[in-house]
Amino acid sequence: ITFRHYPLVWHPQAKSAAEASECAAEQGKFWEMHDKLFADNAAGRMSAEQFKQDAVDLSLNQEQFNQCLASGKYMDKITEQTTEGDEAGVTGTPTVFVNGNIYPGAYPFEDFTSPDGRENKGLKSIISEILK
C-alpha cells in the first residue's frame, strides 16, 4: 500500500495540509496527522495555525515542525505526486489503484449495491481475489 498526495486545486489549504503531513512524518506521525487534517477539514478549520495546534496535540517537536512547515521543503514532492496522479488518470480523491486498475471516488471496502441496483465488489473482495 502506497499513499500519494493529490491536493485538490480548488482547496486553498490542501497543499499546506499535505506538507503538514510530511512534516509530521519526519517525527513518525504521518497517519496521526493525516487523520487530524481530515477531521480539521470536515470541521472547517484548515489553517497553518490549526496545523501547528495539531502538531502540539500529537506531541511533535514544535520547533522542528514549524521550521519544516515554513520551509516548503516538501512542495516539490507533493507537486511531483500530483503530476503522477494526473498522468495515471486521477481526477479526484480518494482514488485507489489495485494491480493497475483504477477505483475512483470513495469506493467502499465491503461489497455494495449501486444506486441503479447493480451489485458491485468492494475493495475487500477485489483485493482478496488478487491475493488468491
Side-chain angles (χ1 to χ4, degrees), residues 66-94:
N66 292 347
Q67 286 176 354
C68 176
L69 199 58
S71 73
K73 72 193 252 182
Y74 290 105
M75 281 302 170
D76 286 346
K77 175 182 181 177
I78 294 162
T79 299
E80 180 180 311
Q81 290 183 359
T82 302
T83 299
E84 289 171 353
D86 291 337
E87 292 168 354
V90 174
T91 58
T93 63

PDB file of all heavy atoms in Angstrom, residues 66-94:
ATOM      1  N   ASN A  66       7.453  23.433  12.942  1.00  0.00           N
ATOM      2  CA  ASN A  66       7.205  24.780  12.423  1.00  0.00           C
ATOM      3  C   ASN A  66       8.235  25.186  11.368  1.00  0.00           C
ATOM      4  O   ASN A  66       7.887  25.798  10.354  1.00  0.00           O
ATOM      5  CB  ASN A  66       7.172  25.798  13.560  1.00  0.00           C
ATOM      6  CG  ASN A  66       5.974  25.605  14.474  1.00  0.00           C
ATOM      7  OD1 ASN A  66       5.027  24.880  14.158  1.00  0.00           O
ATOM      8  ND2 ASN A  66       6.026  26.239  15.638  1.00  0.00           N
ATOM      9  N   GLN A  67       9.503  24.840  11.606  1.00  0.00           N
ATOM     10  CA  GLN A  67      10.542  25.142  10.612  1.00  0.00           C
ATOM     11  C   GLN A  67      10.285  24.381   9.322  1.00  0.00           C
ATOM     12  O   GLN A  67      10.421  24.931   8.226  1.00  0.00           O
ATOM     13  CB  GLN A  67      11.923  24.815  11.162  1.00  0.00           C
ATOM     14  CG  GLN A  67      12.427  25.802  12.177  1.00  0.00           C
ATOM     15  CD  GLN A  67      13.780  25.394  12.773  1.00  0.00           C
ATOM     16  OE1 GLN A  67      14.307  24.322  12.513  1.00  0.00           O
ATOM     17  NE2 GLN A  67      14.338  26.286  13.583  1.00  0.00           N
ATOM     18  N   CYS A  68       9.915  23.139   9.456  1.00  0.00           N
ATOM     19  CA  CYS A  68       9.619  22.321   8.279  1.00  0.00           C
ATOM     20  C   CYS A  68       8.462  22.928   7.499  1.00  0.00           C
ATOM     21  O   CYS A  68       8.540  23.112   6.286  1.00  0.00           O
ATOM     22  CB  CYS A  68       9.286  20.889   8.714  1.00  0.00           C
ATOM     23  SG  CYS A  68       8.782  19.818   7.353  1.00  0.00           S
ATOM     24  N   LEU A  69       7.389  23.263   8.189  1.00  0.00           N
ATOM     25  CA  LEU A  69       6.204  23.819   7.541  1.00  0.00           C
ATOM     26  C   LEU A  69       6.517  25.141   6.839  1.00  0.00           C
ATOM     27  O   LEU A  69       6.065  25.367   5.714  1.00  0.00           O
ATOM     28  CB  LEU A  69       5.100  24.015   8.585  1.00  0.00           C
ATOM     29  CG  LEU A  69       3.681  24.165   8.075  1.00  0.00           C
ATOM     30  CD1 LEU A  69       3.251  22.974   7.244  1.00  0.00           C
ATOM     31  CD2 LEU A  69       2.728  24.365   9.256  1.00  0.00           C
ATOM     32  N   ALA A  70       7.330  25.972   7.474  1.00  0.00           N
ATOM     33  CA  ALA A  70       7.675  27.274   6.889  1.00  0.00           C
ATOM     34  C   ALA A  70       8.632  27.156   5.709  1.00  0.00           C
ATOM     35  O   ALA A  70       8.664  28.025   4.841  1.00  0.00           O
ATOM     36  CB  ALA A  70       8.293  28.172   7.965  1.00  0.00           C
ATOM     37  N   SER A  71       9.375  26.065   5.644  1.00  0.00           N
ATOM     38  CA  SER A  71      10.426  25.935   4.632  1.00  0.00           C
ATOM     39  C   SER A  71       9.916  25.584   3.239  1.00  0.00           C
ATOM     40  O   SER A  71      10.587  25.874   2.245  1.00  0.00           O
ATOM     41  CB  SER A  71      11.437  24.861   5.061  1.00  0.00           C
ATOM     42  OG  SER A  71      10.860  23.563   4.922  1.00  0.00           O
ATOM     43  N   GLY A  72       8.769  24.934   3.162  1.00  0.00           N
ATOM     44  CA  GLY A  72       8.273  24.486   1.852  1.00  0.00           C
ATOM     45  C   GLY A  72       9.063  23.321   1.276  1.00  0.00           C
ATOM     46  O   GLY A  72       8.975  23.040   0.083  1.00  0.00           O
ATOM     47  N   LYS A  73       9.812  22.624   2.114  1.00  0.00           N
ATOM     48  CA  LYS A  73      10.734  21.599   1.620  1.00  0.00           C
ATOM     49  C   LYS A  73      10.060  20.413   0.956  1.00  0.00           C
ATOM     50  O   LYS A  73      10.702  19.684   0.196  1.00  0.00           O
ATOM     51  CB  LYS A  73      11.673  21.148   2.738  1.00  0.00           C
ATOM     52  CG  LYS A  73      11.047  20.296   3.808  1.00  0.00           C
ATOM     53  CD  LYS A  73      11.960  20.167   5.022  1.00  0.00           C
ATOM     54  CE  LYS A  73      12.573  18.822   5.151  1.00  0.00           C
ATOM     55  NZ  LYS A  73      13.412  18.672   6.347  1.00  0.00           N
ATOM     56  N   TYR A  74       8.770  20.183   1.188  1.00  0.00           N
ATOM     57  CA  TYR A  74       8.087  19.038   0.575  1.00  0.00           C
ATOM     58  C   TYR A  74       7.210  19.423  -0.617  1.00  0.00           C
ATOM     59  O   TYR A  74       6.557  18.558  -1.201  1.00  0.00           O
ATOM     60  CB  TYR A  74       7.260  18.290   1.620  1.00  0.00           C
ATOM     61  CG  TYR A  74       8.147  17.571   2.608  1.00  0.00           C
ATOM     62  CD1 TYR A  74       8.332  18.050   3.892  1.00  0.00           C
ATOM     63  CD2 TYR A  74       8.821  16.413   2.229  1.00  0.00           C
ATOM     64  CE1 TYR A  74       9.160  17.389   4.790  1.00  0.00           C
ATOM     65  CE2 TYR A  74       9.661  15.755   3.116  1.00  0.00           C
ATOM     66  CZ  TYR A  74       9.821  16.246   4.386  1.00  0.00           C
ATOM     67  OH  TYR A  74      10.659  15.593   5.266  1.00  0.00           O
ATOM     68  N   MET A  75       7.184  20.695  -0.983  1.00  0.00           N
ATOM     69  CA  MET A  75       6.314  21.123  -2.087  1.00  0.00           C
ATOM     70  C   MET A  75       6.673  20.442  -3.405  1.00  0.00           C
ATOM     71  O   MET A  75       5.781  20.078  -4.173  1.00  0.00           O
ATOM     72  CB  MET A  75       6.323  22.638  -2.242  1.00  0.00           C
ATOM     73  CG  MET A  75       5.449  23.338  -1.243  1.00  0.00           C
ATOM     74  SD  MET A  75       3.726  22.788  -1.343  1.00  0.00           S
ATOM     75  CE  MET A  75       3.078  23.540   0.114  1.00  0.00           C
ATOM     76  N   ASP A  76       7.955  20.250  -3.680  1.00  0.00           N
ATOM     77  CA  ASP A  76       8.333  19.557  -4.921  1.00  0.00           C
ATOM     78  C   ASP A  76       7.815  18.123  -4.925  1.00  0.00           C
ATOM     79  O   ASP A  76       7.309  17.641  -5.941  1.00  0.00           O
ATOM     80  CB  ASP A  76       9.850  19.568  -5.123  1.00  0.00           C
ATOM     81  CG  ASP A  76      10.384  20.932  -5.540  1.00  0.00           C
ATOM     82  OD1 ASP A  76       9.575  21.800  -5.932  1.00  0.00           O
ATOM     83  OD2 ASP A  76      11.614  21.130  -5.470  1.00  0.00           O
ATOM     84  N   LYS A  77       7.920  17.441  -3.792  1.00  0.00           N
ATOM     85  CA  LYS A  77       7.424  16.065  -3.684  1.00  0.00           C
ATOM     86  C   LYS A  77       5.914  16.027  -3.923  1.00  0.00           C
ATOM     87  O   LYS A  77       5.411  15.171  -4.659  1.00  0.00           O
ATOM     88  CB  LYS A  77       7.754  15.498  -2.298  1.00  0.00           C
ATOM     89  CG  LYS A  77       7.173  14.122  -2.046  1.00  0.00           C
ATOM     90  CD  LYS A  77       7.488  13.633  -0.640  1.00  0.00           C
ATOM     91  CE  LYS A  77       6.929  12.230  -0.404  1.00  0.00           C
ATOM     92  NZ  LYS A  77       7.290  11.724   0.926  1.00  0.00           N
ATOM     93  N   ILE A  78       5.191  16.942  -3.318  1.00  0.00           N
ATOM     94  CA  ILE A  78       3.734  16.982  -3.442  1.00  0.00           C
ATOM     95  C   ILE A  78       3.335  17.294  -4.878  1.00  0.00           C
ATOM     96  O   ILE A  78       2.441  16.646  -5.437  1.00  0.00           O
ATOM     97  CB  ILE A  78       3.154  17.995  -2.435  1.00  0.00           C
ATOM     98  CG1 ILE A  78       3.392  17.487  -1.002  1.00  0.00           C
ATOM     99  CG2 ILE A  78       1.680  18.261  -2.706  1.00  0.00           C
ATOM    100  CD1 ILE A  78       3.279  18.535   0.068  1.00  0.00           C
ATOM    101  N   THR A  79       4.016  18.247  -5.503  1.00  0.00           N
ATOM    102  CA  THR A  79       3.734  18.589  -6.902  1.00  0.00           C
ATOM    103  C   THR A  79       4.031  17.408  -7.818  1.00  0.00           C
ATOM    104  O   THR A  79       3.248  17.098  -8.725  1.00  0.00           O
ATOM    105  CB  THR A  79       4.551  19.827  -7.323  1.00  0.00           C
ATOM    106  OG1 THR A  79       4.169  20.925  -6.486  1.00  0.00           O
ATOM    107  CG2 THR A  79       4.308  20.179  -8.779  1.00  0.00           C
ATOM    108  N   GLU A  80       5.129  16.727  -7.572  1.00  0.00           N
ATOM    109  CA  GLU A  80       5.502  15.550  -8.376  1.00  0.00           C
ATOM    110  C   GLU A  80       4.451  14.448  -8.258  1.00  0.00           C
ATOM    111  O   GLU A  80       4.053  13.847  -9.253  1.00  0.00           O
ATOM    112  CB  GLU A  80       6.870  15.028  -7.931  1.00  0.00           C
ATOM    113  CG  GLU A  80       7.347  13.816  -8.693  1.00  0.00           C
ATOM    114  CD  GLU A  80       8.710  13.351  -8.192  1.00  0.00           C
ATOM    115  OE1 GLU A  80       9.621  14.191  -8.054  1.00  0.00           O
ATOM    116  OE2 GLU A  80       8.841  12.140  -7.934  1.00  0.00           O
ATOM    117  N   GLN A  81       3.997  14.197  -7.039  1.00  0.00           N
ATOM    118  CA  GLN A  81       2.983  13.159  -6.853  1.00  0.00           C
ATOM    119  C   GLN A  81       1.652  13.546  -7.494  1.00  0.00           C
ATOM    120  O   GLN A  81       0.947  12.688  -8.045  1.00  0.00           O
ATOM    121  CB  GLN A  81       2.809  12.848  -5.362  1.00  0.00           C
ATOM    122  CG  GLN A  81       4.002  12.126  -4.789  1.00  0.00           C
ATOM    123  CD  GLN A  81       3.843  11.746  -3.338  1.00  0.00           C
ATOM    124  OE1 GLN A  81       2.827  12.020  -2.689  1.00  0.00           O
ATOM    125  NE2 GLN A  81       4.869  11.092  -2.802  1.00  0.00           N
ATOM    126  N   THR A  82       1.316  14.823  -7.469  1.00  0.00           N
ATOM    127  CA  THR A  82       0.091  15.289  -8.115  1.00  0.00           C
ATOM    128  C   THR A  82       0.188  15.097  -9.625  1.00  0.00           C
ATOM    129  O   THR A  82      -0.759  14.624 -10.268  1.00  0.00           O
ATOM    130  CB  THR A  82      -0.164  16.765  -7.776  1.00  0.00           C
ATOM    131  OG1 THR A  82      -0.243  16.907  -6.354  1.00  0.00           O
ATOM    132  CG2 THR A  82      -1.452  17.266  -8.404  1.00  0.00           C
ATOM    133  N   THR A  83       1.333  15.421 -10.194  1.00  0.00           N
ATOM    134  CA  THR A  83       1.548  15.233 -11.629  1.00  0.00           C
ATOM    135  C   THR A  83       1.458  13.757 -12.000  1.00  0.00           C
ATOM    136  O   THR A  83       0.831  13.396 -13.005  1.00  0.00           O
ATOM    137  CB  THR A  83       2.911  15.821 -12.047  1.00  0.00           C
ATOM    138  OG1 THR A  83       2.911  17.219 -11.754  1.00  0.00           O
ATOM    139  CG2 THR A  83       3.178  15.618 -13.529  1.00  0.00           C
ATOM    140  N   GLU A  84       2.062  12.897 -11.186  1.00  0.00           N
ATOM    141  CA  GLU A  84       1.967  11.451 -11.425  1.00  0.00           C
ATOM    142  C   GLU A  84       0.511  10.996 -11.384  1.00  0.00           C
ATOM    143  O   GLU A  84       0.092  10.158 -12.187  1.00  0.00           O
ATOM    144  CB  GLU A  84       2.781  10.682 -10.383  1.00  0.00           C
ATOM    145  CG  GLU A  84       4.269  10.823 -10.544  1.00  0.00           C
ATOM    146  CD  GLU A  84       5.051  10.222  -9.367  1.00  0.00           C
ATOM    147  OE1 GLU A  84       4.425   9.815  -8.352  1.00  0.00           O
ATOM    148  OE2 GLU A  84       6.284  10.178  -9.455  1.00  0.00           O
ATOM    149  N   GLY A  85      -0.250  11.536 -10.464  1.00  0.00           N
ATOM    150  CA  GLY A  85      -1.670  11.202 -10.379  1.00  0.00           C
ATOM    151  C   GLY A  85      -2.421  11.625 -11.633  1.00  0.00           C
ATOM    152  O   GLY A  85      -3.218  10.864 -12.183  1.00  0.00           O
ATOM    153  N   ASP A  86      -2.143  12.848 -12.098  1.00  0.00           N
ATOM    154  CA  ASP A  86      -2.765  13.323 -13.337  1.00  0.00           C
ATOM    155  C   ASP A  86      -2.466  12.375 -14.488  1.00  0.00           C
ATOM    156  O   ASP A  86      -3.365  11.998 -15.255  1.00  0.00           O
ATOM    157  CB  ASP A  86      -2.263  14.731 -13.697  1.00  0.00           C
ATOM    158  CG  ASP A  86      -2.751  15.806 -12.755  1.00  0.00           C
ATOM    159  OD1 ASP A  86      -3.789  15.609 -12.079  1.00  0.00           O
ATOM    160  OD2 ASP A  86      -2.094  16.871 -12.700  1.00  0.00           O
ATOM    161  N   GLU A  87      -1.200  11.999 -14.600  1.00  0.00           N
ATOM    162  CA  GLU A  87      -0.773  11.120 -15.697  1.00  0.00           C
ATOM    163  C   GLU A  87      -1.393   9.726 -15.594  1.00  0.00           C
ATOM    164  O   GLU A  87      -1.596   9.060 -16.603  1.00  0.00           O
ATOM    165  CB  GLU A  87       0.753  11.028 -15.732  1.00  0.00           C
ATOM    166  CG  GLU A  87       1.407  12.327 -16.143  1.00  0.00           C
ATOM    167  CD  GLU A  87       2.909  12.372 -15.929  1.00  0.00           C
ATOM    168  OE1 GLU A  87       3.484  11.414 -15.345  1.00  0.00           O
ATOM    169  OE2 GLU A  87       3.524  13.385 -16.322  1.00  0.00           O
ATOM    170  N   ALA A  88      -1.730   9.290 -14.381  1.00  0.00           N
ATOM    171  CA  ALA A  88      -2.321   7.965 -14.175  1.00  0.00           C
ATOM    172  C   ALA A  88      -3.846   7.975 -14.297  1.00  0.00           C
ATOM    173  O   ALA A  88      -4.479   6.935 -14.213  1.00  0.00           O
ATOM    174  CB  ALA A  88      -1.916   7.425 -12.809  1.00  0.00           C
ATOM    175  N   GLY A  89      -4.421   9.166 -14.490  1.00  0.00           N
ATOM    176  CA  GLY A  89      -5.864   9.258 -14.661  1.00  0.00           C
ATOM    177  C   GLY A  89      -6.642   9.663 -13.425  1.00  0.00           C
ATOM    178  O   GLY A  89      -7.870   9.621 -13.427  1.00  0.00           O
ATOM    179  N   VAL A  90      -5.948  10.068 -12.369  1.00  0.00           N
ATOM    180  CA  VAL A  90      -6.633  10.521 -11.162  1.00  0.00           C
ATOM    181  C   VAL A  90      -7.315  11.852 -11.468  1.00  0.00           C
ATOM    182  O   VAL A  90      -6.724  12.734 -12.079  1.00  0.00           O
ATOM    183  CB  VAL A  90      -5.633  10.675  -9.991  1.00  0.00           C
ATOM    184  CG1 VAL A  90      -6.308  11.290  -8.775  1.00  0.00           C
ATOM    185  CG2 VAL A  90      -5.007   9.338  -9.640  1.00  0.00           C
ATOM    186  N   THR A  91      -8.566  11.967 -11.040  1.00  0.00           N
ATOM    187  CA  THR A  91      -9.306  13.213 -11.231  1.00  0.00           C
ATOM    188  C   THR A  91      -9.802  13.784  -9.911  1.00  0.00           C
ATOM    189  O   THR A  91     -10.342  14.882  -9.877  1.00  0.00           O
ATOM    190  CB  THR A  91     -10.504  13.009 -12.176  1.00  0.00           C
ATOM    191  OG1 THR A  91     -11.358  12.004 -11.631  1.00  0.00           O
ATOM    192  CG2 THR A  91     -10.034  12.618 -13.571  1.00  0.00           C
ATOM    193  N   GLY A  92      -9.659  13.032  -8.830  1.00  0.00           N
ATOM    194  CA  GLY A  92     -10.099  13.491  -7.521  1.00  0.00           C
ATOM    195  C   GLY A  92      -9.647  12.520  -6.456  1.00  0.00           C
ATOM    196  O   GLY A  92      -8.941  11.559  -6.738  1.00  0.00           O
ATOM    197  N   THR A  93     -10.091  12.777  -5.242  1.00  0.00           N
ATOM    198  CA  THR A  93      -9.713  11.916  -4.132  1.00  0.00           C
ATOM    199  C   THR A  93     -10.963  11.424  -3.423  1.00  0.00           C
ATOM    200  O   THR A  93     -11.974  12.142  -3.406  1.00  0.00           O
ATOM    201  CB  THR A  93      -8.816  12.663  -3.131  1.00  0.00           C
ATOM    202  OG1 THR A  93      -9.547  13.750  -2.579  1.00  0.00           O
ATOM    203  CG2 THR A  93      -7.556  13.149  -3.773  1.00  0.00           C
ATOM    204  N   PRO A  94     -10.900  10.264  -2.853  1.00  0.00           N
ATOM    205  CA  PRO A  94      -9.793   9.313  -2.965  1.00  0.00           C
ATOM    206  C   PRO A  94      -9.837   8.576  -4.297  1.00  0.00           C
ATOM    207  O   PRO A  94     -10.887   8.501  -4.941  1.00  0.00           O
ATOM    208  CB  PRO A  94     -10.037   8.340  -1.814  1.00  0.00           C
ATOM    209  CG  PRO A  94     -11.529   8.349  -1.649  1.00  0.00           C
ATOM    210  CD  PRO A  94     -11.974   9.748  -1.981  1.00  0.00           C
TER     211      PRO A  94
END
